[in-house]
Amino acid sequence: MGSTIARHPALIILLALFMISLLVWVSWTAVAYNGLVRKDQAVLTQWAQVENEYQRKIDLIPRLVNITSQYTEFERSVLENITRLRTQWQQNFSFDSRVNNSIVIDQQLFLLVATYEAYPYLRSIDLVSNLMFELAGTENRIAVERFRYNGAVGSLNSQIRSFPDNLVASTWGIHERPLYDPIPGGP
Amino acid sequence: MWRELVRFGLALAVLAPGVGLAAGTAIPTIYLYVNDLTSPGVLLRSEVSDIGDVCYQVDVATTAEIAVLLVNTTAPEGIDWFAAETFARNGIGKAGQDNGVLIVVSTDERLWRVEVGYGLEGVLTDSFVGRVGQDNMSPAISAGDFYTGVYNGTVLIGQQILDLYAPPPGNHPPPDLIVIDWKSVAIGVGILLLIGVITKGKVFLWFGRIFMRGGFGGGRSGGGGARGGF
């Protein structure tokens, strides 16, 4: 075989090209896979941050209900709904159920805030206004973390859908992640 | 003619990225403690200095960084997102400590926002910052006195930091008030040298042309005058 290869230098070149191609393909696959894993982990980490901030809002609810229930301007039905939804949040752990649950909680809290803004005298009550500031602060934190989550998901999904990284993603079972989309039915 | 075209192309290549960045960026890059980007400005130079002094003292005493930004509008992002992005992109607060505060006032929208870094959330709670804004900033700003509103807010926030924030142990060098971006300087010098090599030094003569006089009047001579030796 050695003398065969020596007599056919073209074989040597072909073999060398094959080895180089193989090396390049393995290197690229490793780099692409590692990049996808890193981005996927970034999405999971960012979602954990969204849940962390949302938990902060959930933890605020007992104090919110306790204080606002002392004022007749706040509807009892809204406060009862918020309490019930808080319990549901704590019992549901799947992504879809938590997203749906958080949308409904936000709707009820919106009614609460609307009541606060409709009665100016409530702003003079320190306990109530402090609570509303904390609620607004928490809402903003959630919005920021959700934006960052969607950014991480966008980056991951773009890479998964791009050629040739889509080959690596499908081979190793790395899938697209859902965006945090409170208004479903978009593009 | 080709040399002229090459020079023109090089000039475009150098300037074009800057123009693109300036046209597309909505989030400002801020370097100073107090940044009045409104047009026309709402703060006098002395007022900027007063507020800046407060921020500097807090920075020296605790390493916490307070930045103040006044803009005409935060559209289309909205003040919440604008403040968060400005804070993140400018990295307000010391790395690893996240002890920054950004006070944003939007004059056209009549809104203010205080963005607090992670490291100061225990000291500057949402309710405290909300109270400062509602009771101390809003009344003055509503009356058109931006300086009083922003100054009072900065002082109260700064005092809260001084009272409750414990800086990390170790030596804290005073903050750098003037920071030279040596990387940008090196890139600029490199580009200038490259252009100088391509144009064989003639680019430096162009700089001289900036300062040349407008030219003579265009008079004529008939051979009169004098000559001598030494």
Side-chain angles (χ1 to χ4, degrees), chain B residues 44-226:
Chain B
L44 300 174
R45 200 180 289 252
S46 59
E47 292 170 345
V48 169
S49 179
D50 285 348
I51 301 170
D53 283 345
V54 175
C55 302
Y56 179 74
Q57 287 172 39
V58 172
D59 196 347
V60 169
T62 66
T63 75
E65 295 176 350
I66 303 175
V68 177
L69 174 63
L70 293 98
V71 293
N72 287 110
T73 180
T74 59
E77 291 87 8
I79 197 163
D80 292 333
W81 180 237
F82 179 88
E85 269 297 279
T86 303
F87 191 107
R89 290 198 198 178
N90 288 281
I92 299 169
K94 300 293 188 293
Q97 298 170 38
D98 301 328
N99 54 359
V101 181
L102 173 64
I103 301 171
V104 179
V105 175
S106 173
T107 56
D108 291 354
E109 296 164 305
R110 307 185 69 79
L111 294 171
W112 59 266
R113 170 143 185 93
V114 179
E115 188 75 17
V116 178
Y118 289 121
L120 287 174
E121 285 189 353
V123 171
L124 301 176
T125 59
D126 296 338
S127 52
F128 172 80
V129 170
R131 288 239 146 267
V132 166
Q134 181 179 281
D135 299 342
N136 299 282
M137 289 176 60
S138 284
I141 293 175
S142 301
D145 188 355
F146 288 94
Y147 165 65
T148 302
V150 173
Y151 181 82
N152 289 347
T154 308
V155 165
L156 287 168
I157 288 171
Q159 191 61 55
Q160 183 80 348
I161 295 172
L162 286 169
D163 290 344
L164 298 179
Y165 179 66
N171 215 11
H172 304 297
D176 293 327
L177 294 182
I178 298 174
V179 178
I180 297 174
D181 184 0
W182 290 108
K183 185 179 168 188
S184 297
V185 169
I187 291 171
V189 169
I191 290 172
L192 195 60
L193 286 173
L194 180 65
I195 294 172
V197 165
I198 292 170
T199 60
K200 296 179 185 174
K202 289 180 185 169
V203 66
F204 301 111
L205 293 176
W206 297 340
F207 290 141
R209 288 188 184 176
I210 295 172
F211 305 102
M212 72 176 184
R213 57 193 298 274
F216 293 100
R220 299 182 299 169
S221 169

Side-chain angles (χ1 to χ4, degrees), chain A residues 119-184:
Chain A
Y119 294 92
Y121 101 92
L122 288 172
R123 290 181 205 178
S124 63
I125 304 167
D126 284 354
L127 275 178
V128 177
S129 61
N130 285 348
L131 213 52
M132 289 300 164
F133 284 134
E134 288 191 40
L135 185 62
T138 314
E139 297 276 10
N140 195 57
R141 286 183 185 81
I142 293 169
V144 168
E145 298 300 343
R146 280 203 299 237
F147 181 88
R148 288 174 181 165
Y149 168 77
N150 282 345
V153 166
S155 178
L156 171 69
N157 291 352
S158 292
Q159 186 168 349
I160 287 175
R161 293 164 78 176
S162 304
F163 180 82
D165 287 355
N166 57 347
L167 301 173
V168 173
S170 59
T171 305
W172 294 97
I174 299 174
H175 304 290
E176 292 186 31
R177 296 279 181 185
L179 290 165
Y180 191 106
D181 185 8
I183 305 174

